[in-house]
Amino acid sequence: MPTELGARLRARDPAAVAQALNLIEDARPAKREAASALLAELEARGGEALRVGVTGAPGAGKSTLIDALVRELRARKKTVGIVAVDPSSQKSGGALLGDRLRLRSGAADDGVFLRSMAARDRLGGLSAATRAGVEVLASAFDVVFVETVGVGQSEAEVMHLVHSLVFVAQPGAGDSIQFMKAGLIEVPDVFVVNKSDLGAMAERTCSELQGGLGLNDAGADGWTPPVLLASARDAKGIDAVVDALYAHRHHLAETGTLRARLDRGRLAWLVTALRERYGSYGVEAIGGVEAVEAHFATNRAQTFPEILSVLSNEIEAALGTT
Ligand SMILES: Nc1nc2c(ncn2[C@@H]2O[C@H](COP(=O)(O)OP(=O)(O)OP(=O)(O)O)[C@@H](O)[C@H]2O)c(=O)[nH]1
Ligand SMILES: [Mg+2]
């Protein structure tokens, strides 16, 4: 049953976006129920938004790049929601990187909405609330960006929230490339070597990326990750980044892998949510990640919160808490 809040979200009422985000972060039991109902509805309707993860080393220029991308997208009449995952903060709202971005993009524009969310779980991973936040914004905006600082684990996690992962490379920094070569972090869909205004060093980093990762060969999914030079500061090369994002989304839709990718993300979300509630021990009690995956695969018609509630009951029964 559609909720009033869900309808207002789809109508892109800015007050509804803030209200929905507050609801999903509210820990009170009565609010948890309303939040689940809302997420069930958003999940069932499945927003058409383009979801983009932006990752990279601290200071690479992720926030500045998102800011430039927002301007380009606004010029193309697209609305944009942004989730900035703040790894240093335990509570959400008003985090530094968010505020810096808001200052530049102009708070008066109803077509842009930014929310900082804490990476709340104890291991420093993306919390279920972050995932839910992306779901909310994806129901109300054309494009959703998720900014995370690249520290290995967060790349893999954000990959499961989005359609496309952008890696912002710092000219002269080779560490991440070494990690990718070693298979320690996922290979992104689009590379942006930022700060092209620095000249030769940026160009060298571009060719190192292309050569070092063998990016000239398409991967198993038939997509060749482009390596683009840009200056977020000077707004150079930004239109090409936007084009690459839409091209990647188009590729996923054409090859039918869009669905599989989001399914992987939903599975990751389920496991995260269950671990937040019951710990890894609770998830193990019903057979671990494989059991969650099996349930997910055989109950495709169930909405996400429905699956969550069925598995929660199973875990509680297994742990003898009911
Ligand atoms: N020269 C130059 N500097 C840039 C460019 N883009 C960003 N910067 C600068 O790089 C610094 C870091 O930029 P941010 O956008 O905050 O980087 P970030 O990756 O979001 O940083 P964290 O969120 O702290 O990890 C700032 O001083 C920016 O002004 C660029 O294209 N050229
Ligand atoms: Mg930033």
Side-chain angles (χ1 to χ4, degrees):
M1 214 199 323
T3 60
E4 186 239 340
L5 188 52
R8 279 170 53 218
L9 273 179
R10 282 186 295 281
R12 309 191 163 196
D13 171 356
V17 174
Q19 204 181 324
L21 290 172
N22 288 337
L23 178 64
I24 58 169
E25 289 196 305
D26 199 320
R28 285 172 291 177
K31 299 290 180 177
R32 303 301 323 141
E33 238 166 76
S36 296
L38 178 66
L39 283 173
E41 179 185 348
L42 300 183
E43 152 79 9
R45 302 218 172 205
E48 283 297 298
L50 180 70
R51 302 162 181 226
V52 181
V54 179
T55 183
K62 299 177 293 295
S63 297
T64 312
L65 179 69
I66 291 173
D67 192 67
L69 290 169
V70 167
R71 284 171 211 271
E72 172 66 23
L73 286 161
R74 293 302 289 137
R76 297 188 190 193
K77 303 274 182 278
K78 302 289 185 193
T79 61
V80 189
I82 304 138
V83 176
V85 179
D86 186 341
S88 61
S89 159
Q90 286 296 308
K91 59 180 179 32
S92 67
L96 250 183
L97 66 179
D99 290 345
R100 265 187 294 170
L101 192 94
R102 185 160 24 212
L103 280 177
R104 287 195 295 259
S105 281
D109 184 357
D110 265 2
V112 182
F113 187 97
L114 182 136
R115 175 72 157 231
S116 293
M117 299 185 93
R120 273 195 304 198
D121 90 15
R122 274 165 295 127
L123 301 171
L126 294 179
S127 65
T130 301
R131 163 131 205 145
V134 173
E135 223 44 72
V136 166
L137 293 184
S139 69
F141 295 95
D142 297 322
V143 181
V144 177
F145 288 108
V146 187
E147 176 183 345
T148 54
V149 175
V151 285
Q153 188 196 355
S154 68
E155 255 121 359
E157 285 175 313
V158 79
M159 188 95 172
H160 293 134
L161 278 178
V162 297
H163 298 132
S164 308
L165 186 65
V166 174
F167 182 83
V168 183
Q170 170 99 291
D175 293 10
S176 304
I177 303 170
Q178 296 309 320
F179 284 134
M180 281 174 215
K181 265 174 144 171
L184 292 174
I185 58 179
E186 309 231 20
V187 175
D189 304 299
V190 175
F191 288 86
V192 176
V193 177
N194 189 34
K195 311 191 185 181
S196 62
D197 49 274
L198 296 180
M201 208 195 330
E203 276 154 40
R204 200 158 55 238
T205 301
C206 251
S207 37
E208 275 168 15
L209 270 170
Q210 240 142 2
L213 293 171
L215 291 176
N216 295 323
D217 319 316
D221 61 354
W223 172 256
T224 307
V227 181
L228 306 167
L229 257 181
S231 170
R233 189 193 69 185
D234 300 344
K236 292 263 163 60
I238 304 303
D239 51 343
V241 178
V242 171
D243 289 345
L245 293 174
Y246 279 103
H248 183 241
R249 161 65 175 263
H250 184 71
H251 170 83
L252 291 178
E254 290 266 284
T255 54
T257 42
L258 186 63
R259 165 88 199 222
R261 190 155 176 158
L262 287 183
D263 278 354
R264 273 210 309 280
R266 288 178 174 151
L267 177 67
W269 187 30
L270 262 181
V271 173
T272 303
L274 290 170
R275 282 193 180 136
E276 277 183 9
R277 281 189 197 178
Y278 304 104
S280 297
Y281 180 76
V283 177
E284 287 310 316
I286 56 163
V289 175
E290 289 79 13
V292 176
E293 194 166 11
H295 182 97
F296 182 60
T298 49
N299 294 280
R300 288 197 173 278
Q302 281 183 350
T303 67
F304 228 53
E306 278 166 359
I307 299 181
L308 197 55
S309 129
V310 169
L311 292 177
S312 293
N313 290 340
E314 274 182 31
I315 290 178
E316 285 174 20
L319 294 176
T321 52
T322 47

